[in-house]
């Protein structure tokens, strides 16, 4: 038996703010997800993005405490370098923290980072060469 990768899980402090952030990026959370302790969005290829509130996690793990420092990120490929810029600007204009402004990275991508409401990195990228 071999486990298979199935989901990415994030603990969130404000479900409504997190669902709104990820919906802006095209994640399809069901209606009403913003009021739940657990929400899921199906991703291409069958993976899922799971969001759980801090209170929801503490309901089965009472000693749970949030970690410190950003050690994870989710990377989203954009259609073009211009889309990286546009998505970054839209999210920053909506009040989200722009961690790294769009730039042409030495590895051949237009690249930027925006933080979700809990400080998780959302990497936005697109190949510079059109690959």
């Amino acid at each position: 038996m071999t486990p298979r990768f199935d989901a990415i899980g994030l603990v969130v402090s404000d479900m409504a703010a997190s669902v709104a952030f990820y919906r802006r990026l095209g994640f399809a959370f069901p209606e009403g997800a913003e009021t739940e302790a657990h929400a899921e969005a199906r991703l291409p290829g069958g993976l899922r993005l799971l969001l759980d509130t801090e209170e929801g996690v503490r309901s089965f793990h009472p000693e749970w405490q949030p970690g410190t420092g950003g050690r994870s990120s989710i990377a989203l490929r954009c259609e073009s370098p211009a889309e990286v810029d546009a998505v970054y600007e839209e999210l920053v204009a909506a009040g989200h923290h722009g961690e790294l402004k769009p730039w042409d990275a030495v590895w051949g991508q237009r690249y930027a980072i925006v933080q979700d409401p809990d400080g998780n990195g959302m990497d936005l990228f697109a190949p510079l060469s059109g690959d």
Side-chain angles (χ1 to χ4, degrees):
M1 180 161 146
T2 303
R4 68 178 176 85
F5 186 43
D6 183 73
I8 299 162
L10 299 174
V11 179
V12 302
S13 57
D14 182 333
M15 183 65 83
S18 294
V19 167
F21 176 85
Y22 287 102
R23 279 182 176 154
R24 280 184 177 274
L25 291 167
F27 290 81
F29 284 94
E31 289 302 315
E34 48 282 310
T35 63
E36 300 295 328
H38 175 83
E40 298 185 12
R42 186 144 310 275
L43 308 175
L47 294 176
R48 297 171 296 144
L49 177 63
L50 314 176
L51 303 180
D52 289 284
T53 62
E54 294 174 357
E55 298 80 16
V57 171
R58 286 192 187 105
S59 73
F60 62 86
H61 184 10
E63 296 82 29
W64 179 86
Q65 292 296 318
T68 59
R71 295 184 180 257
S72 64
S73 65
I74 296 173
L76 294 180
R77 182 179 179 136
C78 296
E79 290 294 320
S80 67
E83 187 180 26
V84 171
D85 294 358
V87 172
Y88 178 90
E89 291 302 325
E90 177 189 339
L91 292 171
V92 170
H96 300 288
H97 175 69
E99 180 68 21
L100 182 63
K101 290 182 180 180
W103 67 292
D104 292 343
V106 297
W107 56 85
Q109 293 176 336
R110 185 74 173 164
Y111 187 84
I113 303 172
V114 178
Q115 291 182 347
D116 77 1
D118 291 289
N120 296 301
M122 180 60 53
D123 300 357
L124 306 170
F125 73 94
L128 290 171
S129 65
D131 293 338

